[in-house]
Amino acid sequence: DVKVTQSSRYLVKRTGEKVFLECVQDMDHENMFWYRQDPGLGLRLIYFSYDVKMKEKGDIPEGYSVSREKKERFSLILESASTNQTSMYLCATVVGDYEQYFGPGTRLTVT
Amino acid sequence: AQSVSQHNHHVILSEAASLELGCNYSYGGTVNLFWYVQYPGQHLQLLLKYFSGDPLVKGIKGFEAEFIKSKFSFNLRKPSVQWSDTAEYFCAAQTGGFKTIFGAGTRLFVKA
């Protein structure tokens, strides 16, 4: 069974702080994704990575960066958190026929 | 731009009622289609998928979806819903590589 874990379920940060969200998958998959989920907007792709040190911008990359130093770990970084980045953040990896496996999510609140 | 539209944001049904959730995508080429479900407090998980072949696909828990190419639609159906089907449902389309576009989601509430 594929396992995708995220470092925190809930996180509260202050405006201007640097925030790190970590995601780890245990199946040696190449492709990993970061989404944010907002009511009425569904899931929107922030960044994805198709191999170590390789990354591509998604639909809403502004205000975010990512790091993939090891295959199993994909980090999302908020350089200077803002209140409009309050959201649920989901990490996913791809298995077999393009099916995505999601982590439990991190609910980030920026005050 | 490619997009996925879900017709209803909120649906309320009584147990045993039939369900149909609408999904339309905008893309003229080959597309892979998915329905994902998120039960309260749980991970987002795959309900069913369509890549090619029989346009009527069956998924877990009695759900099915029909791909109608001429209508760019992939509607989700279940003949008789249960209270445990209360969840948020997302339609998604994959048009190239691994990038997937999700709809806004439909929140289903089933009254016991």
Side-chain angles (χ1 to χ4, degrees):
Chain A
D1 235 11
V2 178
K3 194 170 182 183
V4 179
T5 56
Q6 294 182 230
S7 50
S8 308
R9 290 301 300 272
Y10 300 94
L11 210 52
V12 180
K13 295 292 181 180
R14 291 191 183 278
T15 301
E17 278 192 81
K18 191 168 185 175
V19 182
F20 292 87
L21 303 182
E22 303 284 337
C23 175
V24 176
Q25 48 99 355
D26 66 350
M27 294 293 287
D28 201 36
H29 296 144
E30 292 175 342
N31 300 295
M32 297 184 74
F33 303 79
W34 274 108
Y35 295 91
R36 62 178 282 177
Q37 181 183 7
D38 298 290
L41 296 176
L43 277 69
R44 293 178 292 166
L45 182 64
I46 305 171
Y47 266 97
F48 65 100
S49 169
Y50 51 92
D51 207 343
V52 174
K53 297 190 188 294
M54 308 301 284
K55 61 187 179 185
E56 290 287 337
K57 292 181 180 179
D59 299 317
I60 51 163
E62 297 77 21
Y64 303 95
S65 62
V66 290
S67 171
R68 185 123 182 246
E69 297 297 319
K70 292 185 178 181
K71 202 171 189 180
E72 67 270 19
R73 188 179 298 269
F74 189 34
S75 303
L76 180 69
I77 304 158
L78 286 68
E79 297 290 342
S80 177
S82 64
T83 54
N84 62 14
Q85 291 178 310
T86 291
S87 186
M88 172 70 87
Y89 290 88
L90 297 177
C91 176
T93 185
V94 172
V95 176
D97 294 334
Y98 307 101
E99 174 183 342
Q100 297 203 20
Y101 276 82
F102 289 86
T106 296
R107 187 167 292 282
L108 172 67
T109 302
V110 183
T111 61
Chain B
Q2 297 153 14
S3 65
V4 174
S5 300
Q6 292 185 235
H7 304 170
N8 309 95
H9 286 177
H10 294 90
V11 174
I12 302 173
L13 295 173
S14 298
E15 273 194 316
S18 64
L19 170 73
E20 180 159 5
L21 301 182
C23 173
N24 287 92
Y25 62 94
S26 65
Y27 184 71
T30 302
V31 63
N32 298 324
L33 295 162
F34 306 82
W35 275 97
Y36 286 86
V37 60
Q38 189 171 32
Y39 297 103
Q42 295 189 25
H43 298 202
L44 205 63
Q45 59 186 285
L46 183 71
L47 199 55
L48 48 77
K49 61 190 176 188
Y50 172 80
F51 294 150
S52 63
D54 189 343
L56 186 63
V57 293
K58 296 192 184 297
I60 59 172
K61 303 188 181 186
F63 285 91
E64 65 179 30
E66 185 176 13
F67 170 58
I68 302 179
K69 191 174 181 179
S70 61
K71 295 184 177 180
F72 297 91
S73 70
F74 190 56
N75 292 353
L76 181 70
R77 299 196 293 247
K78 186 170 183 179
S80 176
V81 294
Q82 301 172 312
W83 175 80
S84 57
D85 293 324
T86 292
E88 190 160 16
Y89 294 82
F90 294 93
C91 182
Q94 201 173 62
T95 58
F98 293 100
K99 187 175 173 183
T100 304
I101 299 169
F102 287 81
T106 298
R107 289 197 174 188
L108 171 65
F109 180 74
V110 180
K111 297 184 287 185

